[in-house]
Amino acid sequence: EAGVTQFPSHSVIEKGQTVTLRCDPISGHDNLYWYRRVMGKEIKFLLHFVKESKQDESGMPNNRFLAERTGGTYSTLKVQPAELEDSGVYFCASSTHTGGAGNSPLHFGNGTRLTVT
Amino acid sequence: AQSVAQPEDQVNVAEGNPLTVKCTYSVSGNPYLFWYVQYPNRGLQFLLKYITGDNLVKGSYGFEAEFNKSQTSFHLKKPSALVSDSALYFCAVRDGTGGFKTIFGAGTRLFVKA
């Protein structure tokens, strides 16, 4: 099966610009997650979709970040306007839904390395 | 609130020696515990998980981990390290009683010397 794909792999933008990251999960995976890792620190949870609905967006840092999942398939994460502290690696992950709290592992994409200058 | 601590930024071990990468966790409900590995410029790959049952779980590439409820630990182990095991390892926890959010530690870099 095809894995989780993310685009672009790298993005360098100036402060104040807009960037949109895309994630295509594994086909049939209802759960889609966005995470961010700032260099050397923990992989921080941003938000969780179940199909097209936002299940948990408690990790979104502020209203400059907007995530969507049209039709419950691919997802986009837009940062507008970008700030220096938004730099980091943004990971997307997907998993199946097994009912209850879910014990399925996450399948990760290779990440998008965002640099804001 | 859930949290994961990986107390070592880096672990160095000689090839052929046993390795341990430490992890402690905090979660209000039943812990679902995971280990992931990341190779350069790649995403995280699932290694193993503990959900319930035997405290010693076995995973990919000869890795295993031991769940210790009293010490709230889930250390990753391998009896004989390979140079190819050199990578970044992440411990993660999910509250099995009611959530889908997986919380990750900061990662431990494993360096295996030939």
Side-chain angles (χ1 to χ4, degrees), chain A residues 6-116:
Chain A
Q6 293 187 244
F7 183 83
S9 58
H10 294 81
S11 180
V12 180
I13 61 172
E14 294 182 352
K15 176 182 174 181
Q17 291 186 321
T18 298
V19 63
T20 300
L21 314 180
R22 173 170 171 144
C23 169
D24 287 77
I26 293 172
S27 177
H29 281 195
D30 289 340
N31 294 281
L32 187 149
Y33 303 81
W34 284 98
Y35 285 86
R36 176 175 70 178
R37 185 172 194 242
V38 175
M39 187 179 293
K41 299 195 175 181
E42 74 272 17
I43 300 174
K44 186 178 177 186
F45 169 84
L46 296 179
L47 89 159
H48 168 213
F49 284 99
V50 177
K51 297 184 179 179
E52 68 276 7
S53 300
K54 292 177 184 175
Q55 183 76 12
D56 183 348
E57 52 184 331
S58 61
M60 295 287 265
N62 51 60
N63 59 10
R64 295 186 293 103
F65 289 73
L66 175 64
E68 296 178 324
R69 190 180 183 192
T70 307
T73 54
Y74 71 91
S75 175
T76 58
L77 179 65
K78 180 189 287 188
V79 184
Q80 179 183 28
E83 297 289 345
L84 298 178
E85 65 263 25
D86 300 334
S87 296
V89 181
Y90 290 77
F91 289 106
C92 175
S94 70
S95 72
T96 58
H97 180 70
T98 58
N103 59 23
S104 300
L106 301 179
H107 298 261
F108 280 82
N110 289 342
T112 294
R113 182 174 297 277
L114 175 64
T115 303
V116 182

Side-chain angles (χ1 to χ4, degrees), chain B residues 33-81:
Chain B
L33 296 156
F34 304 82
W35 276 100
Y36 291 82
V37 59
Q38 185 186 21
Y39 297 102
N41 300 314
R42 302 297 301 274
L44 279 70
Q45 297 176 31
F46 168 72
L47 271 182
L48 50 80
K49 67 180 179 182
Y50 170 83
I51 303 300
T52 187
D54 194 346
N55 289 344
L56 184 65
V57 294
K58 296 186 182 298
S60 306
Y61 312 121
F63 283 93
E64 57 190 28
E66 186 167 13
F67 170 63
N68 187 317
K69 186 174 182 178
S70 63
Q71 296 184 5
T72 61
S73 67
F74 189 57
H75 301 331
L76 180 70
K77 300 181 180 183
K78 186 173 182 180
S80 179

Side-chain angles (χ1 to χ4, degrees), chain B residues 96-112:
Chain B
T97 337
F100 287 89
K101 183 191 298 185
T102 301
I103 301 300
F104 288 82
T108 298
R109 185 164 298 283
L110 174 66
F111 180 71
V112 182

